[in-house]
Amino acid sequence: MKIKKFIKAHTINEVTKALEEFNGEIQIIAGGTDLSVKIRDGENDKAVIVDISDVSDMNKIEFSDNKLLIGSAVKFAEVEECIDIKNEFKGLWAAAKSVGAPQIRNLGTIGGNIANGSPAADIVPPLLALNACVTLESSNGKRILNLRDIYIGKGKVDIKEDEVLTFITIDRIKEKYYIEFEKLGLRNALAIARLSTSLYLEKDENNIIEKIRVASGSLGLYPMRELKLEEFMVGKKLDKNLMIESANVYSGIVYDRLHERSTCEFKKEAVKGIFLKAIEKCL
Ligand SMILES: Cc1cc2nc3c(=O)[nH]c(=O)nc-3n(C[C@H](O)[C@H](O)[C@H](O)COP(=O)(O)OP(=O)(O)OC[C@H]3O[C@@H](n4cnc5c(N)ncnc54)[C@H](O)[C@@H]3O)c2cc1C
């Protein structure tokens, strides 16, 4: 569809007002790395576009005592350049850094990666492993959801037509923990994930796993937590044996989920490799 109106917003209020005024006919653009491809291919069905890339409140990365807040219009490159994220949330930083070409990292946003709903969205598995929440705003108010609950089907997210994703928040953790990310792409320049995994792990002085969250990319209809695997691992001693057993459990889960797909044979084996690479860093 031909674009008839382009609105450049500078505040969240301007975004929500535009979404209300043109409800049903309007679409958000942030970095445009996904949407501009759709517009070029004539797959866009909205006549009005609101550009959120210069909304200052949605462009900030802020650490408070207990939380890290990332504005939805923050770009992959800005996460990659943030030393505090690198030091405290290594897997999140690694995911931003792993995104394909530098041009995409300079334009593509964290909010766009979530809202686009792709199973291969690189930033989502570490955010799921970190139990991140998202804030959605409209002229009727705010909703705060666990990121896990936003994915409702293939390419489908629970963001209403009059809502904008404004912030992503993560609890800061004071104790020792690990947050890792591993991805298998096709080639470096445009490495859209064939599959990825991220894990958050806390263990005690005897190496007993006290808390674990594992999340997958490109291993289902959307990025998802691996609850059965987490259940299998929690309370057990992290050693080489458990790592191998867990990799086999993960592989079995992937087989059960994907066994009707042609990619299953490859993914059920490859997932073991990326999982072992990630969990070895927690030893
Ligand atoms: C060549 C190429 C390589 C790529 N490589 C990778 C890769 O390695 N890893 C990866 O994960 N992705 C990759 N992508 C996909 C893309 O870059 C990411 O998904 C990016 O994060 C999208 O963000 P954006 O700001 O460009 O989104 P946009 O294109 O602006 O928007 C995408 C969708 O999200 C909606 N949206 C955007 N922001 C919001 C918001 N705040 N609230 C509500 N809705 C919103 C838009 O309406 C649109 O539907 C690649 C894309 C290309 C073209």
Side-chain angles (χ1 to χ4, degrees):
M1 180 183 283
K2 209 163 177 234
I3 310 294
K4 295 195 180 130
K5 194 173 173 67
F6 187 90
I7 301 165
K8 180 91 180 158
H10 296 95
T11 64
I12 294 175
N13 204 19
E14 284 173 16
V15 180
T16 54
K17 264 192 173 163
L19 292 173
E20 186 182 29
E21 186 180 347
F22 297 99
N23 196 4
E25 304 170 74
I26 185 165
Q27 195 158 15
I28 290 168
I29 195 162
T33 59
D34 281 318
L35 190 58
S36 54
V37 176
K38 277 193 188 157
I39 294 172
R40 183 201 62 193
D41 295 346
E43 287 168 14
N44 177 51
D45 59 352
K46 310 278 189 228
V48 186
I49 288 203
V50 56
D51 178 358
I52 62 165
S53 60
D54 278 343
V55 176
S56 51
D57 278 343
M58 294 200 278
N59 268 293
K60 59 189 181 189
I61 297 178
E62 244 177 39
F63 280 85
S64 63
D65 271 358
N66 303 319
K67 290 205 188 292
L68 162 63
L69 177 148
I70 304 177
S72 70
V74 166
K75 298 167 182 65
F76 295 118
E78 291 168 318
V79 172
E80 189 188 350
E81 283 157 16
C82 180
I83 298 296
D84 292 333
I85 293 185
K86 184 178 181 186
N87 289 339
E88 199 166 323
F89 298 108
K90 194 174 66 160
L92 186 63
W93 173 84
K97 191 176 158 60
S98 83
V99 168
Q103 295 92 324
I104 299 298
R105 293 202 293 280
N106 283 332
L107 278 175
T109 64
I110 306 306
N113 205 226
I114 295 170
N116 196 46
S118 163
D122 278 324
I123 212 71
V124 179
L127 287 175
L128 288 171
L130 287 163
N131 212 19
C133 287
V134 289
T135 303
L136 305 169
E137 297 192 38
S138 72
S139 44
N140 294 320
K142 268 185 200 176
R143 290 196 295 152
I144 298 178
L145 298 182
N146 191 298
L147 177 60
R148 236 173 100 184
D149 298 327
I150 210 174
Y151 291 97
I152 51 178
K154 189 176 177 196
K156 279 199 188 143
V157 286
D158 178 14
I159 302 178
K160 309 226 168 1
E161 287 206 316
D162 64 346
E163 284 179 328
V164 55
L165 194 170
T166 46
F167 305 111
I168 298 104
T169 49
I170 299 167
D171 286 339
R172 295 181 74 183
I173 312 109
K174 304 258 158 36
E175 301 302 317
K176 194 162 164 41
Y177 61 92
Y178 299 82
I179 169 73
E180 304 296 341
F181 171 80
E182 289 295 333
K183 154 176 167 179
L184 193 64
L186 275 184
R187 60 196 163 103
N188 284 339
L190 299 172
I192 303 258
R194 294 292 299 275
L195 64 156
S196 68
T197 190
S198 183
L199 57 90
Y200 170 86
L201 187 141
E202 284 175 37
K203 57 182 186 171
D204 69 11
E205 62 282 3
N206 299 315
N207 251 1
I208 304 295
I209 299 174
E210 293 180 314
K211 204 178 258 183
I212 179 150
R213 290 189 290 263
V214 183
S216 299
S218 295
L219 290 172
L221 296 179
Y222 41 81
M224 57 181 71
R225 282 269 298 277
E226 299 295 358
L227 301 180
K228 273 192 191 162
L229 177 60
E230 294 171 11
E231 228 172 84
F232 173 78
M233 294 181 75
V234 75
K236 295 193 174 134
K237 186 170 177 152
L238 183 63
D239 57 19
K240 289 268 176 204
N241 275 346
L242 183 72
M243 282 169 25
I244 290 163
E245 276 173 30
S246 305
N248 288 330
V249 170
Y250 203 170
S251 175
I253 293 168
V254 169
Y255 176 80
D256 289 345
R257 191 180 298 143
L258 302 180
H259 64 273
E260 284 170 355
R261 301 226 203 135
S262 59
T263 52
C264 180
E265 281 305 310
F266 162 70
K267 289 193 171 179
K268 83 175 181 22
E269 293 306 316
V271 74
K272 292 190 219 170
I274 57 166
F275 175 75
L276 286 171
K277 234 174 146 181
I279 194 102
E280 265 167 14
K281 295 182 193 156
C282 309
L283 263 184

